[in-house]
Amino acid sequence: MVWSRICRWMCPAPWLVAMALVCSLPLWATARDLIIGQGTDVSHLDPHYSTSASDVNVFFNLYDNLVLRDEQLNLTPGLAVSWQLVDATTWQFKLRQGVVFHNGAPFTAEDVKFSLERAIADNPRTSVYAALNTIERIEILDPFTVHLITKHPDPLLPTRLSYYGGMMLPKHYFNWLQVLQLPLTSCSL
């Protein structure tokens, strides 16, 4: 009896039928929703104020980093097309041109400066502060070139920028949102 079950699974016919169904899936699948299950709910949509795994999973689908990682975990260009160490404490990042945010605003060095200054802000201290607090200041050389000056030599800065601290935000949109934020409790209908 056990042998007949083993022979049934070793028979190529069921496997061929299963492969045919899998290969034809795009022909009859019409669903447009992608549902992803996580163990917990997302607590923030702000990549500088959460390092929770559930939040970070969502962040990587909403925001882009200056530096990315490939399948072998090597650093690869993201929003920065190149980076180099200019001197012991200065990293130069050349930015990708022609990139736009979801709202249609162009990505520039201003957004990098805004995002990283926000990430290393001490008041209020962000959740990613410890990962990027070696950055002393950000200098804009032109719309697509920035210098990140560190407090001391930091050879791992591009590596840390490939994770949640290196996610870029649209400066003008965030400034606009801050203007609109009013205490909801003061509104009366």
Side-chain angles (χ1 to χ4, degrees), residues 3-167:
W3 183 251
S4 66
R5 285 187 195 158
I6 293 173
C7 288
R8 187 172 13 158
W9 285 107
M10 292 175 52
C11 179
W15 293 107
L16 292 173
V17 170
M19 288 302 293
L21 287 173
V22 169
C23 290
S24 67
L25 182 63
L27 299 176
W28 53 269
T30 59
R32 300 215 180 246
D33 294 333
L34 172 64
I35 299 171
I36 299 173
Q38 294 196 127
T40 60
D41 288 335
V42 174
S43 63
H44 285 276
L45 290 177
D46 189 328
H48 295 149
Y49 285 96
S50 178
T51 57
S52 131
S54 295
D55 294 349
V56 171
N57 288 340
V58 173
F59 297 160
F60 276 110
N61 289 286
L62 294 177
Y63 304 100
D64 285 322
N65 292 57
L66 287 177
V67 181
L68 300 174
R69 292 196 175 262
D70 64 14
E71 296 80 18
Q72 287 76 39
L73 300 179
N74 298 312
L75 296 178
T76 62
L79 290 173
V81 293
S82 66
W83 55 94
Q84 67 177 358
L85 195 57
V86 175
D87 61 43
T89 59
T90 304
W91 283 95
Q92 182 178 64
F93 285 81
K94 296 276 189 181
L95 306 178
R96 188 175 305 281
Q97 296 185 30
V99 175
V100 294
F101 287 103
H102 294 87
N103 66 354
F107 169 69
T108 67
E110 288 287 334
D111 300 303
V112 174
K113 182 174 173 70
F114 167 77
S115 298
L116 293 178
E117 283 179 347
R118 184 175 187 268
I120 61 174
D122 200 23
N123 186 20
R125 185 166 283 182
T126 64
S127 299
V128 298
Y129 174 82
L132 299 173
N133 69 354
T134 60
I135 298 173
E136 184 175 10
R137 69 183 184 280
I138 297 102
E139 294 177 354
I140 296 174
L141 301 180
D142 63 50
F144 297 103
T145 309
V146 293
H147 275 179
L148 305 184
I149 294 92
T150 58
K151 298 171 187 171
H152 50 77
D154 185 1
L156 297 178
L157 184 61
T159 300
R160 287 196 304 280
L161 288 172
S162 73
Y163 203 49
Y164 47 76
M167 294 179 176

